[in-house]
Amino acid sequence: MRILLAEDDRFLADGLKAALSESGYNIDTVNNGLDATAAVKLAPYDLLILDLGLPKMDGLEVLKTVRGSGHNMPVIILTARDGLDDRVLGLDLGANDYVTKPFQLPELEARIRALLRKDNWDNHTEVVYGQLSFNTLSRAVLMDGQPLDLSARELAILEILLQRSGRMVSKQQIVERLSTWDTELSSNAVDIAMHRLRKKLETSKVEIKTLRGLGYLLEKID
Ligand code: CA
Protein backbone atom coordinates (compact mmCIF):
# COMPACT_ATOMS: atom_id res chain seq x y z
CA MET A 1 0.00 0.00 0.00
CA ARG A 2 1.35 3.36 -0.99
CA ILE A 3 0.66 6.32 1.28
CA LEU A 4 1.30 10.02 0.82
CA LEU A 5 2.16 11.87 4.01
CA ALA A 6 1.78 15.67 3.85
CA GLU A 7 3.31 17.09 7.03
CA ASP A 8 5.58 20.11 7.46
CA ASP A 9 6.83 19.19 10.95
CA ARG A 10 9.98 17.45 9.83
CA PHE A 11 10.51 15.59 13.08
CA LEU A 12 7.00 14.17 12.99
CA ALA A 13 7.17 13.41 9.26
CA ASP A 14 10.46 11.54 9.56
CA GLY A 15 9.24 9.57 12.57
CA LEU A 16 5.96 8.61 10.89
CA LYS A 17 7.68 7.67 7.67
CA ALA A 18 10.09 5.38 9.49
CA ALA A 19 7.39 3.78 11.62
CA LEU A 20 4.89 3.26 8.79
CA SER A 21 7.58 1.92 6.47
CA GLU A 22 8.45 -0.53 9.20
CA SER A 23 4.81 -1.65 9.16
CA GLY A 24 5.09 -2.42 5.45
CA TYR A 25 3.62 0.70 3.87
CA ASN A 26 5.35 2.54 1.06
CA ILE A 27 5.54 6.15 2.17
CA ASP A 28 6.18 9.34 0.20
CA THR A 29 6.40 12.60 2.13
CA VAL A 30 5.79 16.21 1.12
CA ASN A 31 6.13 19.22 3.41
CA ASN A 32 3.75 21.71 1.80
CA GLY A 33 0.28 21.79 0.30
CA LEU A 34 1.27 22.54 -3.28
CA ASP A 35 3.56 19.54 -3.42
CA ALA A 36 0.77 17.40 -1.95
CA THR A 37 -1.62 18.30 -4.77
CA ALA A 38 1.14 17.69 -7.33
CA ALA A 39 2.05 14.33 -5.79
CA VAL A 40 -1.45 12.84 -5.93
CA LYS A 41 -1.46 13.44 -9.68
CA LEU A 42 1.79 11.54 -10.11
CA ALA A 43 1.23 8.30 -8.22
CA PRO A 44 -1.77 6.12 -7.34
CA TYR A 45 -1.91 6.54 -3.56
CA ASP A 46 -4.00 4.18 -1.49
CA LEU A 47 -4.31 6.74 1.27
CA LEU A 48 -3.41 10.34 2.11
CA ILE A 49 -2.40 11.52 5.58
CA LEU A 50 -2.89 15.26 5.53
CA ASP A 51 -1.78 17.79 8.11
CA LEU A 52 -4.16 20.76 7.97
CA GLY A 53 -1.58 23.39 8.90
CA LEU A 54 0.65 23.26 5.83
CA PRO A 55 2.65 26.06 4.17
CA LYS A 56 1.96 27.28 0.59
CA MET A 57 -1.55 25.77 0.54
CA ASP A 58 -3.33 24.73 3.73
CA GLY A 59 -4.66 21.22 4.20
CA LEU A 60 -8.32 22.14 3.69
CA GLU A 61 -7.46 23.69 0.32
CA VAL A 62 -5.45 20.60 -0.56
CA LEU A 63 -8.43 18.43 0.31
CA LYS A 64 -10.76 20.58 -1.80
CA THR A 65 -8.37 20.36 -4.74
CA VAL A 66 -7.76 16.64 -4.41
CA ARG A 67 -11.46 15.76 -4.16
CA GLY A 68 -12.33 18.34 -6.82
CA SER A 69 -10.07 16.58 -9.28
CA GLY A 70 -11.78 13.28 -8.64
CA HIS A 71 -9.27 11.47 -6.42
CA ASN A 72 -11.21 9.26 -4.04
CA MET A 73 -8.50 7.65 -1.92
CA PRO A 74 -9.20 7.67 1.83
CA VAL A 75 -7.88 10.77 3.61
CA ILE A 76 -6.96 11.07 7.28
CA ILE A 77 -6.48 14.64 8.47
CA LEU A 78 -4.13 15.58 11.28
CA THR A 79 -5.60 18.42 13.32
CA ALA A 80 -4.85 20.48 16.39
CA ARG A 81 -6.58 19.56 19.63
CA ASP A 82 -8.70 22.74 19.60
CA GLY A 83 -9.43 22.54 15.89
CA LEU A 84 -13.10 21.46 16.07
CA ASP A 85 -14.11 23.72 13.17
CA ASP A 86 -11.26 22.35 11.07
CA ARG A 87 -12.25 18.77 11.79
CA VAL A 88 -15.86 19.42 10.83
CA LEU A 89 -14.83 21.31 7.71
CA GLY A 90 -12.33 18.63 6.80
CA LEU A 91 -14.89 15.85 7.11
CA ASP A 92 -17.37 17.90 5.10
CA LEU A 93 -14.76 18.44 2.41
CA GLY A 94 -14.30 14.71 2.03
CA ALA A 95 -11.82 13.59 4.67
CA ASN A 96 -12.67 10.11 5.94
CA ASP A 97 -11.22 10.35 9.41
CA TYR A 98 -9.08 12.55 11.62
CA VAL A 99 -6.43 12.20 14.29
CA THR A 100 -5.83 14.92 16.84
CA LYS A 101 -2.26 16.00 17.57
CA PRO A 102 -0.46 14.88 19.60
CA PHE A 103 -1.44 11.30 18.89
CA GLN A 104 -0.04 7.86 19.56
CA LEU A 105 1.22 5.86 16.61
CA PRO A 106 -1.01 2.81 17.29
CA GLU A 107 -4.08 5.04 17.00
CA LEU A 108 -3.03 6.38 13.62
CA GLU A 109 -2.10 2.91 12.41
CA ALA A 110 -5.46 1.49 13.49
CA ARG A 111 -7.27 4.23 11.59
CA ILE A 112 -5.12 3.58 8.51
CA ARG A 113 -5.91 -0.14 8.68
CA ALA A 114 -9.62 0.52 9.12
CA LEU A 115 -9.80 2.85 6.15
CA LEU A 116 -7.76 0.58 3.90
CA ARG A 117 -9.87 -2.41 4.91
CA LYS A 118 -13.03 -0.51 4.06
CA ASP A 119 -11.67 0.85 0.79
CA ASN A 120 -9.92 -2.26 -0.50
CA TRP A 121 -11.75 -5.14 1.15
CA ASP A 122 -15.25 -3.85 1.67
CA ASN A 123 -14.66 -4.08 5.44
CA HIS A 124 -13.93 -7.82 5.35
CA THR A 125 -11.27 -9.08 7.74
CA GLU A 126 -11.01 -12.46 6.04
CA VAL A 127 -10.89 -12.75 2.27
CA VAL A 128 -11.16 -16.22 0.78
CA TYR A 129 -10.16 -17.01 -2.78
CA GLY A 130 -10.09 -20.68 -3.74
CA GLN A 131 -7.79 -22.39 -1.25
CA LEU A 132 -6.28 -19.10 -0.22
CA SER A 133 -7.42 -17.07 2.69
CA PHE A 134 -6.05 -13.65 3.46
CA ASN A 135 -6.41 -11.80 6.74
CA THR A 136 -6.68 -8.12 5.84
CA LEU A 137 -5.58 -7.05 9.32
CA SER A 138 -2.60 -9.28 10.01
CA ARG A 139 -1.91 -9.77 6.27
CA ALA A 140 -1.36 -13.46 6.92
CA VAL A 141 -1.98 -15.78 3.96
CA LEU A 142 -3.16 -19.34 4.46
CA MET A 143 -3.27 -22.04 1.80
CA ASP A 144 -5.52 -24.93 2.78
CA GLY A 145 -5.35 -23.61 6.32
CA GLN A 146 -1.54 -23.65 6.40
CA PRO A 147 0.52 -20.45 6.58
CA LEU A 148 2.05 -19.55 3.23
CA ASP A 149 5.55 -18.18 3.65
CA LEU A 150 5.89 -15.11 1.44
CA SER A 151 8.48 -12.34 1.21
CA ALA A 152 7.24 -8.79 1.79
CA ARG A 153 7.23 -8.15 -1.96
CA GLU A 154 5.48 -11.41 -2.86
CA LEU A 155 2.87 -10.65 -0.22
CA ALA A 156 2.34 -7.13 -1.54
CA ILE A 157 1.85 -8.44 -5.08
CA LEU A 158 -0.57 -11.15 -3.96
CA GLU A 159 -2.47 -8.53 -1.97
CA ILE A 160 -2.93 -6.38 -5.08
CA LEU A 161 -4.01 -9.39 -7.16
CA LEU A 162 -6.49 -10.49 -4.48
CA GLN A 163 -7.93 -6.99 -4.30
CA ARG A 164 -8.70 -7.24 -7.97
CA SER A 165 -9.27 -10.96 -8.33
CA GLY A 166 -10.84 -11.67 -11.69
CA ARG A 167 -9.65 -8.34 -13.02
CA MET A 168 -6.42 -7.56 -14.80
CA VAL A 169 -3.58 -5.73 -13.07
CA SER A 170 -0.86 -4.20 -15.22
CA LYS A 171 2.79 -4.48 -14.35
CA GLN A 172 2.97 -0.70 -14.26
CA GLN A 173 0.23 -0.63 -11.60
CA ILE A 174 2.19 -3.09 -9.49
CA VAL A 175 5.40 -1.10 -9.89
CA GLU A 176 3.63 2.12 -8.88
CA ARG A 177 1.95 0.58 -5.85
CA LEU A 178 5.21 -0.93 -4.57
CA SER A 179 7.50 2.03 -5.22
CA THR A 180 8.28 5.22 -3.42
CA TRP A 181 10.19 8.21 -4.79
CA ASP A 182 13.25 6.94 -2.94
CA THR A 183 12.95 3.36 -4.12
CA GLU A 184 11.55 2.82 -7.57
CA LEU A 185 10.93 -0.88 -8.07
CA SER A 186 12.30 -2.28 -11.34
CA SER A 187 10.16 -4.19 -13.75
CA ASN A 188 12.66 -7.02 -13.40
CA ALA A 189 12.11 -7.15 -9.65
CA VAL A 190 8.39 -7.62 -10.27
CA ASP A 191 9.16 -10.50 -12.67
CA ILE A 192 11.34 -12.21 -10.07
CA ALA A 193 8.81 -11.84 -7.25
CA MET A 194 6.01 -12.95 -9.58
CA HIS A 195 7.98 -16.05 -10.55
CA ARG A 196 8.56 -16.99 -6.88
CA LEU A 197 4.96 -16.30 -5.96
CA ARG A 198 3.76 -18.54 -8.79
CA LYS A 199 5.99 -21.35 -7.57
CA LYS A 200 4.50 -21.05 -4.09
CA LEU A 201 0.99 -21.24 -5.53
CA GLU A 202 1.87 -24.15 -7.81
CA THR A 203 0.20 -26.82 -5.67
CA SER A 204 -2.98 -24.80 -5.29
CA LYS A 205 -5.81 -24.27 -7.72
CA VAL A 206 -5.18 -20.58 -7.77
CA GLU A 207 -3.07 -19.32 -10.62
CA ILE A 208 -1.56 -16.06 -11.74
CA LYS A 209 -2.20 -15.75 -15.43
CA THR A 210 -0.06 -13.51 -17.62
CA LEU A 211 -1.85 -11.59 -20.30
CA ARG A 212 1.06 -10.83 -22.54
CA GLY A 213 1.78 -7.14 -22.82
CA LEU A 214 -1.20 -6.34 -20.60
CA GLY A 215 -0.62 -7.65 -17.13
CA TYR A 216 -1.68 -10.29 -14.65
CA LEU A 217 -4.84 -11.90 -13.49
CA LEU A 218 -5.54 -14.08 -10.45
CA GLU A 219 -7.71 -17.02 -11.40
CA LYS A 220 -9.15 -20.20 -9.96
CA ILE A 221 -8.49 -23.27 -12.07
CA ASP A 222 -10.43 -26.53 -12.04
CA1 CA B 1 1.74 21.73 10.30
Side-chain angles (χ1 to χ4, degrees):
M1 298 286 142
R2 188 164 176 178
I3 294 178
L4 180 67
L5 170 63
E7 170 57 75
D8 62 319
D9 176 338
R10 179 134 180 237
F11 183 73
L12 180 59
D14 287 351
L16 282 180
K17 180 176 180 173
L20 294 173
S21 303
E22 184 72 20
S23 296
Y25 299 109
N26 302 307
I27 309 291
D28 290 325
T29 54
V30 289
N31 61 12
N32 69 73
L34 279 181
D35 285 353
T37 58
V40 295
K41 289 185 197 146
L42 294 176
Y45 291 104
D46 296 291
L47 187 128
L48 167 63
I49 301 172
L50 179 64
D51 177 35
L52 289 190
L54 286 175
K56 293 192 185 169
M57 181 192 271
D58 77 35
L60 291 173
E61 278 302 314
V62 172
L63 194 54
K64 228 185 274 181
T65 307
V66 165
R67 290 298 189 229
S69 49
H71 294 282
N72 59 0
M73 83 284 263
V75 176
I76 299 178
I77 50 178
L78 306 179
T79 72
R81 184 169 291 284
D82 55 0
L84 175 65
D85 292 348
D86 280 351
R87 291 200 286 279
V88 171
L89 258 174
L91 292 169
D92 282 346
L93 284 174
N96 303 80
D97 204 351
Y98 64 86
V99 173
T100 309
K101 288 181 179 179
F103 55 86
Q104 301 287 320
L105 185 65
E107 184 189 356
L108 177 63
E109 292 215 50
R111 288 174 189 278
I112 291 172
R113 281 195 301 274
L115 285 178
L116 290 177
R117 184 174 67 226
K118 184 160 182 245
D119 204 48
N120 294 312
W121 307 106
D122 209 11
N123 272 332
H124 293 294
T125 312
E126 198 77 23
V127 173
V128 176
Y129 191 77
Q131 291 140 287
L132 294 181
S133 97
F134 175 69
N135 186 301
T136 62
L137 282 184
S138 67
R139 297 179 77 222
V141 182
L142 302 180
M143 187 163 90
D144 287 325
Q146 297 300 314
L148 193 61
D149 187 25
L150 300 173
S151 73
R153 191 167 290 160
E154 291 157 12
L155 174 60
I157 290 176
L158 183 60
E159 198 173 11
I160 295 171
L161 291 169
L162 277 170
Q163 268 172 24
R164 311 183 183 206
S165 54
R167 283 179 294 153
M168 212 257 318
V169 182
S170 73
K171 187 188 270 187
Q172 183 57 27
Q173 285 172 318
I174 293 176
V175 167
E176 285 176 344
R177 290 279 294 278
L178 300 192
S179 295
T180 66
W181 298 333
D182 307 334
T183 54
E184 171 97 22
L185 194 68
S186 72
S187 158
N188 195 35
V190 174
D191 289 339
I192 292 168
M194 194 64 83
H195 177 74
R196 293 195 177 130
L197 182 56
R198 277 200 170 111
K199 275 213 123 37
K200 292 178 182 179
L201 296 176
E202 224 166 41
T203 57
S204 78
K205 287 184 173 168
V206 174
E207 182 182 70
I208 301 168
K209 235 178 144 178
T210 301
L211 306 171
R212 202 160 289 282
L214 293 172
Y216 308 95
L217 185 69
L218 194 65
E219 270 194 344
K220 288 180 234 182
I221 44 175
D222 304 310

Coordinates of all heavy atoms in Angstrom, one line a residue, residues 27 29 43-46 52 72 76 97-98 108 110 123 149 166 212-213:
I27 N 5.9 4.8 1.8 CA 5.5 6.2 2.2 C 6.3 7.2 1.4 O 7.5 7.1 1.3 CB 5.9 6.4 3.7 CG1 5.3 5.3 4.6 CG2 5.4 7.8 4.1 CD1 3.8 5.3 4.7
T29 N 6.7 11.4 1.3 CA 6.4 12.6 2.1 C 6.5 13.9 1.4 O 7.4 14.0 0.5 CB 7.3 12.7 3.4 OG1 8.7 12.7 3.0 CG2 7.1 11.5 4.3
A43 N 1.2 9.7 -8.6 CA 1.2 8.3 -8.2 C -0.1 7.9 -7.7 O -0.9 8.7 -7.2 CB 2.3 8.1 -7.2
P44 N -0.5 6.6 -7.8 CA -1.8 6.1 -7.3 C -1.7 5.8 -5.8 O -1.5 4.7 -5.5 CB -2.0 4.8 -8.2 CG -0.6 4.3 -8.4 CD 0.4 5.5 -8.4
Y45 N -2.0 6.8 -5.0 CA -1.9 6.5 -3.6 C -3.1 5.8 -3.1 O -4.3 6.1 -3.5 CB -1.7 7.9 -2.8 CG -0.4 8.4 -3.1 CD1 -0.2 9.5 -3.9 CD2 0.8 7.8 -2.5 CE1 1.1 10.0 -4.2 CE2 2.0 8.3 -2.7 CZ 2.2 9.4 -3.6 OH 3.4 9.9 -3.9
D46 N -2.9 4.9 -2.1 CA -4.0 4.2 -1.5 C -4.6 5.0 -0.4 O -5.7 4.7 0.1 CB -3.5 2.8 -0.9 CG -3.0 1.9 -2.0 OD1 -3.8 1.5 -2.8 OD2 -1.8 1.7 -2.2
L52 N -3.4 19.6 8.5 CA -4.2 20.8 8.0 C -3.3 22.0 7.9 O -3.5 22.9 7.1 CB -5.4 20.9 8.8 CG -6.5 19.9 8.6 CD1 -7.8 20.3 9.3 CD2 -6.8 19.6 7.2
N72 N -10.3 9.7 -5.1 CA -11.2 9.3 -4.0 C -10.5 8.4 -3.0 O -11.2 7.6 -2.3 CB -12.4 8.6 -4.6 CG -12.1 7.4 -5.5 OD1 -10.9 7.1 -5.6 ND2 -13.0 6.7 -6.0
I76 N -6.9 10.8 5.8 CA -7.0 11.1 7.3 C -6.4 12.4 7.5 O -5.2 12.7 7.0 CB -6.1 10.0 8.0 CG1 -6.6 8.6 7.8 CG2 -6.1 10.4 9.5 CD1 -5.8 7.5 8.5
D97 N -11.5 10.5 8.0 CA -11.2 10.3 9.4 C -10.2 11.4 9.8 O -9.6 12.1 9.0 CB -10.7 9.0 9.7 CG -10.9 8.5 11.1 OD1 -11.4 9.3 11.9 OD2 -10.6 7.3 11.4
Y98 N -10.1 11.6 11.1 CA -9.1 12.5 11.6 C -8.4 12.0 12.8 O -8.9 11.1 13.6 CB -9.7 13.9 11.9 CG -10.7 13.9 13.1 CD1 -10.3 14.0 14.4 CD2 -12.1 13.7 12.8 CE1 -11.2 13.9 15.4 CE2 -13.0 13.6 13.9 CZ -12.5 13.7 15.2 OH -13.4 13.6 16.2
L108 N -3.1 6.1 15.0 CA -3.0 6.4 13.6 C -3.0 5.1 12.8 O -3.7 5.0 11.8 CB -1.8 7.2 13.3 CG -1.6 7.6 11.8 CD1 -2.8 8.4 11.3 CD2 -0.3 8.3 11.6
A110 N -4.2 2.2 13.5 CA -5.5 1.5 13.5 C -6.4 2.2 12.5 O -7.2 1.5 11.8 CB -6.0 1.5 14.9
N123 N -14.6 -3.9 4.0 CA -14.7 -4.1 5.4 C -14.4 -5.5 5.9 O -14.6 -5.8 7.1 CB -16.0 -3.6 6.0 CG -15.9 -2.1 6.4 OD1 -14.8 -1.6 6.7 ND2 -17.0 -1.4 6.4
D149 N 4.4 -19.0 3.3 CA 5.6 -18.2 3.6 C 5.9 -17.3 2.4 O 6.4 -17.8 1.4 CB 6.7 -19.1 4.0 CG 7.9 -18.3 4.5 OD1 7.7 -17.2 5.0 OD2 9.0 -18.8 4.4
G166 N -9.9 -11.6 -10.5 CA -10.8 -11.7 -11.7 C -10.7 -10.5 -12.6 O -11.2 -10.5 -13.7
R212 N -0.1 -11.4 -22.0 CA 1.1 -10.8 -22.5 C 0.9 -9.4 -23.0 O 0.0 -9.0 -23.7 CB 1.5 -11.7 -23.8 CG 2.9 -11.5 -24.1 CD 3.5 -12.7 -24.9 NE 3.6 -13.9 -24.2 CZ 4.6 -14.2 -23.3 NH1 5.6 -13.3 -23.2 NH2 4.6 -15.3 -22.7
G213 N 1.8 -8.6 -22.5 CA 1.8 -7.1 -22.8 C 0.7 -6.3 -22.1 O 0.7 -5.1 -22.2

